């Protein structure tokens, strides 16, 4: 069986690396120095389903598909009165987040950006699907949303 938490932490780290901004799991990310919520831009990562049935009669419980939803949140520019988050900023974050599924340009197998999972776990396929977004003009926040699926398997050689 593949545990969910190490996959979530690895995916959170990958999104933070790709976007260049903090990622919170199920909540606004916190500033490690102060313990307070960070101002936008940031990403909120919500774990979705995590079925561990590979759909075969001989299911050994050695595979799983982890679903996630990433909400890329734009916001006002710090220190600039009356500034607002905008569509350009949320789309930029989503573009960076979509790189999760980017393939090498040289035709080699795998993905351009590694997902660092615990030994013995392999992510053999990734999917990303734009799921829309929301806007809240009163809060000066615009979001873009992507849903991901990570296809995981235990490495039989580990």
């Amino acid at each position: 069986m593949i545990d969910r938490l190490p996959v979530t932490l690895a995916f959170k780290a990958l999104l933070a690396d790709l976007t260049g901004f903090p990622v919170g799991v199920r909540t606004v990310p916190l500033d490690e120095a102060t313990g307070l919520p960070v101002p936008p831009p940031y990403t909120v990562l919500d774990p979705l389903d995590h079925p561990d049935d590979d759909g075969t009669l001989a299911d050994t419980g050695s595979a799983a598909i982890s679903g996630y939803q990433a909400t890329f949140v734009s916001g006002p520019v710090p220190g600039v009165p009356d500034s607002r988050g905008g569509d350009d900023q949320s789309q930029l974050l989503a573009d960076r987040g979509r790189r999760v599924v980017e393939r090498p340009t040289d035709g080699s197998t795998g993905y351009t950006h590694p997902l660092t999972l615990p030994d013995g776990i392999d992510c053999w396929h990734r999917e990303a699907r734009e799921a829309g977004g929301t806007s809240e003009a009163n809060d000066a926040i615009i979001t873009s949303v992507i849903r991901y699926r990570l296809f995981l398997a235990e490495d039989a050689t580990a």
Side-chain angles (χ1 to χ4, degrees):
M1 186 168 103
I2 297 173
D3 290 330
R4 177 63 174 251
L5 181 60
V7 177
T8 299
L9 295 176
F11 195 55
K12 174 187 172 187
L14 177 58
L15 283 174
D17 184 53
L18 290 173
T19 65
F21 291 97
V23 176
V25 176
R26 299 187 203 263
T27 188
V28 173
L30 300 177
D31 182 320
E32 292 179 15
T34 65
L36 298 173
V38 300
Y42 55 75
T43 301
V44 176
L45 180 64
D46 289 300
L48 302 175
D49 56 340
H50 183 76
D52 58 2
D53 180 352
D54 67 11
T56 65
L57 187 58
D59 179 21
T60 62
S62 62
I65 302 170
S66 286
Y68 293 94
Q69 177 171 296
T71 304
F72 302 96
V73 181
S74 72
V77 178
V80 178
D82 298 323
S83 66
R84 301 183 111 28
D87 183 58
D88 289 352
Q89 189 182 62
S90 69
Q91 283 193 52
L92 173 68
L93 289 169
D95 286 344
R96 291 177 180 178
R98 204 172 298 104
R99 291 181 182 152
V100 163
V101 296
E102 186 176 19
R103 298 286 191 159
T105 57
D106 64 5
S108 60
T109 61
Y111 292 90
T112 303
H113 306 284
L115 177 63
T116 307
L117 295 167
D119 288 341
I121 305 297
D122 179 46
C123 180
W124 59 273
H125 182 69
R126 305 175 192 177
E127 294 177 353
R129 180 174 54 88
E130 197 89 20
T134 60
S135 63
E136 180 50 61
N138 294 334
D139 292 335
I141 291 175
I142 305 287
T143 66
S144 291
V145 176
I146 296 179
R147 291 198 180 127
Y148 299 91
R149 291 193 326 159
L150 307 177
F151 293 76
L152 308 165
E154 290 180 342
D155 183 356
T157 62

